[in-house]
């Protein structure tokens, strides 16, 4: 098992041996960058954008940005 820091929430999560085998079997070479809750949230955001685009609605997406100096 490997410990990884999530790119979104900066919390540590475990990449289990079973998940590593799955990645290897699928030919995926990079480890995950997000924990499961953050990955799920990202997929929901993408799905909302795709749904809005398909229906012709414009959707506003708010993101938080941290100043490099801060």
């Amino acid at each position: 098992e490997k410990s990884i820091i999530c790119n979104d929430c900066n919390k540590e999560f475990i990449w289990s041996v079973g998940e590593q085998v799955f990645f290897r079997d699928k030919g995926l070479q990079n480890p995950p960058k997000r924990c499961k809750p953050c990955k799920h949230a990202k997929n929901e955001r993408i799905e909302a954008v795709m749904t809005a685009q398909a229906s012709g609605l414009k959707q506003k997406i708010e993101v938080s940005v941290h100043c490099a100096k801060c």
Side-chain angles (χ1 to χ4, degrees), residues 1-7 10-20 30-36:
E1 295 188 341
K2 292 184 180 181
S3 177
I4 300 175
I5 302 295
C6 175
N7 280 359
N10 292 320
K11 292 181 181 175
E12 186 176 9
F13 68 97
I14 301 297
W15 189 28
S16 72
V17 173
E19 291 168 327
Q20 292 176 45
N30 298 320
K33 295 180 180 181
R34 292 173 181 84
C35 62
K36 288 181 184 182

Side-chain angles (χ1 to χ4, degrees), residues 45-57:
R45 289 191 305 270
I46 292 171
E47 185 178 333
V49 169
M50 299 290 283
T51 301
Q53 288 176 344
S55 66
L57 297 174

Side-chain angles (χ1 to χ4, degrees), residues 5 9 11 15 22 24 40 43-44 50-51 61 69:
I5 302 295
C9 66
K11 292 181 181 175
W15 189 28
F22 175 81
R24 185 196 65 214
H40 181 71
N43 289 342
E44 285 181 345
M50 299 290 283
T51 301
I61 300 174
K69 293 181 181 178

